[in-house]
């Protein structure tokens, strides 16, 4: 067996303590003898949710040797609240121990730079691998098999039950509902009951359950709902990466878009709807004669045309950030809520804490929000107002929009006529959508597992303004030449796939753009020399990397191939004492 670099694993520290362990607190020493996989995640991050699903098979198959530990490392202030982490662990069906690390202590100890990051610790307590982004489950399983054999032979592997203790289930009619619409023929509500993997029809009171539709065999964490002109409801079947329709009259459910597999870079982004993969569709809306899809998983908006049966990418480049302009050149960051008017498609762009819209000329505009790292609760002129990870937007009769400002637990309002942002209601709990009913608005309080009816106020609620930046420490870099190294080592038993050209892709940009004098743009090499502008003292480097590796078996004419990809937004401060090399680990260990 090839020698493997090993670094002693730092201790696991988290002020919030442990979840899913029956209140027991663990140290690494108590896990000695097991293969430990640390999953650094935060619950706002769609890529982190993808990795949770990727790890489920590994978790089950190697349950007696592998302990997966989620290290919850928050980006937003709300995510540092302990109860919010408790809710997220249940909402996303996390079936392994979770360390709540609100101060990013363990994140810093392991020098993590991106959500999600996976770190593998061997049974003797040494770090043997690190992977950033999605698509690494196959490589980690191969490594686990190697470690099982190696430490089984050495006598250092300890098999048995892991530390996971399931929490007690809680009975409520809804469990973390996502979105809701009004069914006009009956005056009832249709709600996506996301954690129970079904739709629920509620009576006009918003409380009485009339029927439950589907289940895990039909839906997987459904979110967005939209009424089509023919009376059908289109459903964003998020974790199944599909669109389905539901007929309220007959109860029939039909798949209309998606293959059930997740879209990856290089896959077709248009074509017959049932032949094209989607990626975590989060919301849907009927706009300009088509179904528009908030494709949260790839930071884009797509469309589905029921008449032709075709899906197509419509806005966004798959780069994560906030860039306005023609739809094909714009950047989004996990768009999660849509609302259509005659001339605008409003977008709740969650990771940039922004309210944006697409006009009929297919140009993207930002109404509220500045970028990936600034958020808070501040009213006033839109140019300085702040939101915190909004998931929903609702058009109001006067041309303004209500924003479900999820992590501020508030309902906000933006008025395009005045350019002002106000607060309509507070003391909600993770509102994720809202439905207008006459003079009332019915809010989906996701973390209170209910719909809440509010009278639209004539005056705004006054709140104390607060602004935040992400807790991540900026990297100090030297002005001038900076070597960017994206570390990628093909996993054991695999090699880079060069049969059809370069097997890797690197895309680099900066905010502000003036930060980079040279080195931006796309290329195949994962190492690149950048030149930083000494006149710009701080900013963000946006790095997107992809590498493809295939099973290295000469006897197999059609080896299985695997795509590894990650986007980094690296806050930097330019200083003479800074480093002249920036290493970002995609897979492997930085030598």
């Amino acid at each position: 067996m090839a020698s493997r670099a090993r670094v002693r694993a730092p201790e696991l520290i988290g002020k919030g303590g442990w979840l899913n362990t029956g209140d027991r607190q663990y140290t690494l020493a108590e896990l000695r003898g097991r293969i430990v996989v640390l999953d650094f995640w935060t619950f706002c991050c769609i890529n982190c949710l993808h990795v949770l699903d990727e790890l489920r098979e590994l978790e089950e198959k190697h349950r007696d040797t592998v302990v997966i530990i989620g290290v919850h490392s928050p980006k937003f202030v709300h995510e540092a609240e302990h109860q919010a982490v408790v809710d997220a662990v249940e909402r996303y069906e996390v079936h392994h121990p979770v360390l709540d690390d609100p101060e990013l202590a363990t994140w810093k100890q392991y020098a993590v730079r991106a959500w999600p990051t996976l770190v593998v610790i061997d049974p003797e307590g040494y770090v043997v691998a690190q992977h950033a982004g999605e698509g690494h489950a196959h490589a980690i399983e191969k490594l686990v098999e190697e470690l099982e054999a190696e430490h089984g032979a050495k006598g250092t592997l300890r098999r048995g039950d892991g530390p996971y203790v399931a929490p007690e289930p809680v009975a409520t009619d809804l469990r973390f509902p996502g979105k809701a619409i009004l069914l006009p023929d009956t005056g009832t509500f249709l709600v996506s009951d996301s954690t129970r993997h079904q739709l629920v029809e509620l009576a006009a009171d918003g409380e009485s359950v009339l029927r439950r539709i589907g289940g895990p065999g039909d839906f997987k964490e459904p979110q967005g709902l939209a009424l089509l002109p023919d009376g059908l409801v289109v459903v964003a079947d998020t974790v199944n990466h599909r669109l389905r329709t539901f007929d309220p009259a007959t109860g029939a459910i039909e798949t209309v878009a998606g293959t059930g597999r997740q879209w990856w870079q290089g896959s077709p982004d248009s074509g017959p709807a049932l032949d094209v993969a989607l990626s975590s569709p989060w919301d849907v809306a009927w706009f300009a004669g088509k179904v528009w899809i908030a494709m949260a998983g790839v930071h884009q908006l797509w469309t589905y045309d029921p008449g032709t049966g075709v899906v197509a990418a419509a806005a966004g480049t798959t780069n994560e950030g906030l860039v306005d302009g023609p739809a094909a050149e714009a950047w989004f960051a996990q768009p999660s809520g849509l609302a259509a008017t005659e001339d605008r498609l409003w977008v709740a762009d969650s990771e940039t804490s922004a309210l944006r819209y697409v006009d009929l000329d297919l140009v993207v505009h930002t109404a509220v929000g500045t970028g990936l790292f600034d958020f808070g609760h501040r009213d006033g002129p839109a140019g300085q107002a702040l939101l915190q990870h909004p998931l929903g937007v609702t058009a109001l009769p006067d041309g303004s929009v209500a924003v479900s400002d999820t992590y501020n637990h508030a309902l906000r309002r933006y008025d395009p006529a005045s350019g002002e942002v106000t607060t309509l209601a507070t003391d909600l709990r993770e509102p994720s959508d809202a439905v207008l009913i006459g003079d009332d608005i019915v809010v989906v309080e996701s973390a209170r597992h209910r719909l809440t009816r509010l009278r639209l106020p004539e005056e705004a609620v006054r709140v104390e303004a607060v602004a935040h930046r992400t807790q991540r420490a900026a990297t100090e870099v030297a002005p001038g030449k900076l070597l960017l190294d994206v570390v990628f080592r093909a996993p054991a038993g695999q090699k880079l796939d060069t049969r059809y050209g370069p097997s890797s892709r690197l895309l680099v940009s900066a905010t502000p753009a003036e930060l980079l004098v040279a080195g931006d743009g796309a290329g195949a090499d994962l190492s690149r020399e950048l030149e930083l502008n000494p006149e710009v003292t701080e900013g963000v480097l946006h790095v997107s990397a992809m590498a493809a590796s295939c099973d290295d078996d000469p006897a197999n004419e059609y080896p299985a191939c695997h795509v590894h990809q990650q986007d980094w937004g690296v806050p930097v401060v330019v200083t003479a004492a800074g480093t002249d090399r920036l290493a970002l680990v995609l897979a492997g260990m930085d030598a």
Side-chain angles (χ1 to χ4, degrees):
M1 185 177 296
S3 61
R4 185 185 299 113
R6 302 199 311 169
V7 177
R8 175 65 73 179
E11 189 52 82
L12 304 179
I13 307 165
K15 190 174 181 180
W18 291 77
L19 306 176
N20 283 356
T21 60
D23 294 329
R24 180 173 172 181
Q25 309 298 299
Y26 279 89
T27 64
L28 272 180
E30 293 172 282
L31 301 172
R32 200 64 49 81
R34 311 299 291 273
I35 301 163
V36 176
V37 179
L38 303 182
D39 176 15
F40 289 87
W41 70 299
T42 188
F43 62 77
C44 73
C45 161
I46 191 67
N47 311 92
C48 299
L49 305 186
H50 291 166
V51 168
L52 284 175
D53 289 328
E54 288 178 6
L55 292 175
R56 294 189 198 280
E57 185 177 347
L58 173 74
E59 192 169 27
E60 183 58 38
K61 186 175 179 181
H62 298 272
R63 185 167 293 279
D64 66 334
T65 59
V66 172
V67 175
I68 296 176
I69 295 173
V71 182
H72 189 267
S73 312
K75 171 185 174 180
F76 291 99
V77 169
H78 170 59
E79 293 174 306
E81 296 177 14
H82 182 71
Q83 185 56 48
V85 181
V86 173
D87 289 344
V89 167
E90 179 189 351
R91 181 194 297 262
Y92 298 116
E93 299 181 311
V94 180
H95 295 156
H96 51 249
V98 172
L99 176 64
D100 181 11
D101 182 18
E103 297 176 343
L104 301 181
T106 297
W107 167 287
K108 294 170 186 172
Q109 287 277 79
Y110 281 81
V112 174
R113 291 186 181 274
W115 297 277
T117 291
L118 299 169
V119 175
V120 182
I121 302 172
D122 74 11
E124 293 179 292
Y126 290 90
V127 174
V128 293
Q130 182 171 327
H131 302 265
E134 304 178 48
H136 302 294
H138 182 269
I140 290 175
E141 181 168 15
K142 290 293 185 185
L143 177 56
V144 163
E145 291 170 353
E146 284 186 14
L147 293 171
E148 286 175 340
E150 175 186 345
H151 290 273
K154 288 173 65 175
T156 50
L157 182 70
R158 176 168 56 88
R159 295 179 179 268
D161 292 335
Y164 171 68
V165 177
E168 289 294 323
V170 182
T172 53
D173 287 334
L174 301 173
R175 205 70 193 161
F176 298 105
K179 308 285 186 181
I181 59 171
L182 184 71
L183 296 176
D185 291 344
T186 58
T188 57
F189 294 95
L190 189 66
V191 184
S192 55
D193 196 17
S194 301
T195 299
R196 295 218 177 99
H197 314 295
Q198 61 185 200
L199 309 181
V200 175
E201 185 178 0
L202 299 177
D205 62 7
E207 298 179 5
S208 307
V209 175
L210 300 179
R211 59 173 165 167
R212 298 184 181 274
I213 300 121
D218 301 293
F219 301 110
K220 189 74 180 294
E221 295 182 29
Q223 290 285 343
L225 307 166
L227 191 67
L228 301 183
D230 61 4
L232 296 180
V233 175
V234 64
V235 183
D237 193 6
T238 304
V239 176
N240 277 328
H241 309 295
R242 286 184 164 122
L243 294 189
R244 300 188 192 271
T245 56
F246 164 65
D247 187 339
T250 67
I253 297 169
E254 181 182 352
T255 300
V256 295
T259 63
R261 297 184 302 276
Q262 184 184 338
W263 188 92
W264 289 98
Q265 289 285 355
S267 303
D269 61 3
S270 65
L274 292 172
D275 298 336
V276 177
L278 309 181
S279 182
S280 298
W282 205 275
D283 203 5
V284 282
W286 181 256
F287 176 66
K290 294 180 180 179
V291 175
W292 283 68
I293 310 162
M295 201 72 79
V298 287
H299 316 300
Q300 288 182 305
L301 305 180
W302 286 36
T303 60
Y304 162 63
D305 187 337
T308 62
V310 168
V311 294
T317 65
T318 76
N319 292 322
E320 184 180 14
L322 192 152
V323 176
D324 290 339
E329 301 170 13
W331 292 20
F332 293 92
Q334 215 169 297
S336 300
L338 300 175
T341 63
E342 278 192 17
D343 58 354
R344 291 182 180 182
L345 178 71
W346 292 96
V347 183
D349 201 29
S350 62
E351 280 294 287
T352 53
S353 297
L355 173 65
R356 308 176 72 186
Y357 66 91
V358 182
D359 65 24
L360 291 174
D361 294 323
L362 299 185
V363 176
V364 177
H365 309 262
T366 297
V368 183
T370 58
L372 286 165
F373 302 108
D374 293 295
F375 54 91
H377 192 157
R378 186 162 64 199
D379 288 334
Q384 57 87 53
L386 293 173
L387 309 170
Q388 186 180 180
H389 198 78
L391 291 179
V393 57
T394 306
L396 300 179
D398 62 358
S400 67
V401 290
V403 180
S404 295
D405 193 6
T406 309
Y407 287 3
N408 279 327
H409 312 300
L411 191 67
R412 313 285 292 283
R413 177 178 179 262
Y414 168 67
D415 183 357
S418 67
E420 292 285 317
V421 175
T422 53
T423 297
L424 298 177
T426 57
D427 194 31
L428 302 168
R429 187 67 186 172
E430 292 191 17
S432 55
D433 197 18
V435 182
L436 188 67
I437 309 291
D439 293 331
D440 293 346
I441 193 163
V442 175
V443 180
V444 180
E445 276 199 274
S446 190
R448 283 199 178 114
H449 321 291
R450 70 188 188 191
L451 303 189
T452 298
R453 184 181 293 261
L454 305 172
R455 177 57 54 94
L456 278 174
E458 293 182 8
E459 294 185 3
V461 176
R462 294 196 177 275
V463 296
E464 183 178 348
V466 60
H468 300 289
R469 294 211 90 199
T470 181
Q471 293 186 59
R472 292 172 59 194
T475 300
E476 294 188 351
V477 294
K481 306 295 184 184
L482 175 69
L483 179 62
L484 171 64
D485 272 335
V486 174
V487 178
F488 179 77
R489 309 275 183 260
Q494 297 181 30
K495 64 179 180 180
L496 290 175
D497 178 19
T498 57
R499 292 171 297 167
Y500 308 108
S503 60
S504 56
R505 173 179 176 268
L506 179 65
L507 180 66
V508 180
S509 63
T511 303
E514 296 76 25
L515 175 64
L516 278 178
V517 175
D520 61 338
D525 196 338
L526 292 179
S527 183
R528 184 184 302 180
E529 186 175 81
L530 311 180
E531 185 175 351
L532 301 183
N533 186 347
E535 302 299 319
V536 179
T537 58
E538 63 178 347
V540 179
L541 289 175
H542 303 282
V543 180
S544 177
M546 185 272 289
S549 60
C550 295
D551 293 347
D552 188 8
D553 181 0
N556 186 353
E557 186 178 356
Y558 303 104
C561 295
H562 314 275
V563 176
H564 315 261
Q565 67 179 47
Q566 172 63 12
D567 296 333
W568 290 268
V570 183
V572 296
V573 173
V574 181
T575 172
T579 181
D580 60 2
R581 176 177 180 265
L582 176 62
L584 302 175
V585 177
L586 179 60
M589 298 282 284
D590 181 20

